């Protein structure tokens, strides 16, 4: 696993989803460490969690990139392409015409007319994709295009978290199995025992966490965020990210 560059995008769009997806592991590991005083166990636990979150961050990026083609297909194309189509109603016709004229001047190719787009949608999408590429390369200044950068981070966060949904659910299932099995082995359960209480707390937290991943981390949440992108400059669509 290569070292992770902790720039703002990595922290907010990759590491944050990794921490959320791996949170049950943190809660589970914490019950085995006494926090009354700091020592070697705490160092080992901290190191283990750092490695876990670093791994999940890398997995978030890989899983996000892996699932994106399927998401793009279900959306009918990248937002940077679909929003430029004449038949798409995201942007009003007057503004869209100005965008077409602007992009045509940048890529030195006439923009397709509505009739041309209808006759050859693939060729029209090629023009829109070229325009998107030009915009991506010219809106990388995160200070100048701050609003756009934040939208791309939000999209990347949701996409990567959705990519981690399955690993997160598997992690929850594993932790639940271990905790329930441990309590069953220690039956009858002594609720005055702090360790048993901690196991029960982890079980409740894992169930709530799994419910969050299952019902709130969805394709639709990614689609909704992609609809907010008003310029085709997603840093995860290019090799730079």
């Amino acid at each position: 696993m290569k070292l992770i560059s902790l720039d703002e995008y990595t922290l907010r769009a990759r590491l944050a989803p990794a921490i959320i997806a791996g949170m049950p592991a943190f809660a589970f590991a914490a019950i085995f460490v006494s926090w009354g005083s700091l020592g070697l166990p705490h160092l080992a636990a901290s190191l283990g969690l750092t490695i876990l979150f670093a791994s999940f961050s890398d997995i978030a990026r890989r899983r996000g990139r892996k699932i994106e083609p399927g998401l793009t297909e279900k959306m009918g194309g990248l937002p940077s392409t679909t929003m430029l189509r004449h038949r798409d109603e995201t942007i009003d016709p007057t503004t869209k015409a100005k965008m077409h004229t602007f992009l045509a001047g940048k890529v030195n190719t006439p923009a397709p007319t509505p009739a041309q787009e209808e006759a050859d949608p693939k060729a029209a999408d090629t023009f829109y994709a070229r325009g998107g590429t030009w915009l991506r390369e010219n809106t990388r200044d995160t200070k100048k295009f701050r609003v756009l950068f934040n939208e791309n981070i939000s999209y990347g966060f949701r996409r990567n978290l959705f990519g981690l949904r399955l690993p997160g659910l598997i992690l929850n299932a594993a932790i639940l199995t271990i905790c329930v099995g441990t309590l069953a082995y220690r039956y009858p359960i002594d609720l005055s025992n702090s360790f048993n209480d901690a196991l029960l707390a982890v079980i409740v937290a894992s169930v709530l966490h799994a419910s969050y991943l299952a019902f709130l981390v969805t394709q639709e949440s990614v689609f909704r965020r992609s609809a907010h992108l008003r310029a085709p400059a997603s840093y995860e669509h290019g090799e730079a990210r």
Side-chain angles (χ1 to χ4, degrees):
M1 182 183 68
K2 67 179 182 179
L3 293 177
I4 298 173
S5 175
L6 295 181
D7 55 63
E8 184 178 3
Y9 187 94
T10 297
L11 288 172
R12 293 172 58 188
R14 295 180 191 161
L15 188 58
I19 292 175
I20 292 174
M23 193 60 71
F26 175 79
F28 182 67
I31 67 176
F32 292 97
V33 179
S34 173
W35 297 98
S37 61
L38 297 179
L40 185 59
H42 305 87
L43 178 62
S46 299
L47 180 60
L49 288 171
T50 299
I51 294 174
L52 175 66
F53 289 144
S55 299
F56 259 56
S57 180
D58 186 60
I59 293 173
R61 177 179 181 273
R62 295 174 184 272
R63 289 281 301 174
R65 290 173 68 88
K66 183 177 181 180
I67 67 172
E68 189 165 55
L71 294 173
T72 299
E73 183 178 356
K74 291 182 179 180
M75 289 188 292
L78 293 174
S80 56
T81 296
T82 60
M83 64 184 284
L84 291 174
R85 293 169 179 164
H86 289 285
R87 59 187 183 276
D88 184 87
E89 298 180 353
T90 303
I91 303 173
D92 66 272
T94 301
T95 302
K96 187 177 298 183
K98 293 180 180 179
M99 294 178 67
H100 285 180
T101 300
F102 174 81
L103 292 174
K106 297 302 180 182
V107 300
N108 297 317
T109 303
T113 64
Q116 290 172 332
E117 180 183 298
E118 183 178 0
D120 194 346
K122 186 175 181 179
D125 280 353
T126 298
F127 170 84
Y128 303 142
R130 289 180 61 196
T133 299
W134 185 91
L135 286 171
R136 277 196 295 275
E137 294 303 320
N138 288 272
T139 54
R140 292 190 181 276
D141 187 334
T142 59
K143 293 182 179 180
K144 185 177 181 180
F145 301 99
R146 189 67 191 178
V147 174
L148 173 61
F149 180 58
N150 286 332
E151 290 290 347
N152 284 319
I153 287 178
S154 182
Y155 169 76
F157 169 84
R158 294 198 186 193
R159 188 206 64 180
N160 292 341
L161 183 58
F162 180 69
L164 286 175
R165 183 172 74 161
L166 180 57
L169 289 172
I170 293 174
L171 180 63
N172 272 300
I175 291 174
L176 280 172
T177 300
I178 294 172
C179 289
V180 172
T182 302
L183 287 176
Y185 178 78
R186 295 165 66 89
Y187 188 84
I189 302 173
D190 180 8
L191 294 180
S192 64
N193 185 296
S194 60
F195 182 74
N196 291 337
D197 289 343
L199 285 174
L200 288 172
V202 171
I203 289 174
V204 172
S206 294
V207 170
L208 293 175
H209 187 266
S211 299
Y212 165 73
L213 292 178
F215 299 111
L216 296 180
V217 180
T218 62
Q219 285 186 354
E220 288 70 25
S221 68
V222 182
F223 294 163
R224 286 195 298 271
R225 180 47 53 186
S226 70
H228 285 77
L229 294 176
R230 287 297 177 261
S234 176
Y235 284 70
E236 285 289 316
H237 291 155
E239 293 302 320
R241 293 285 181 176

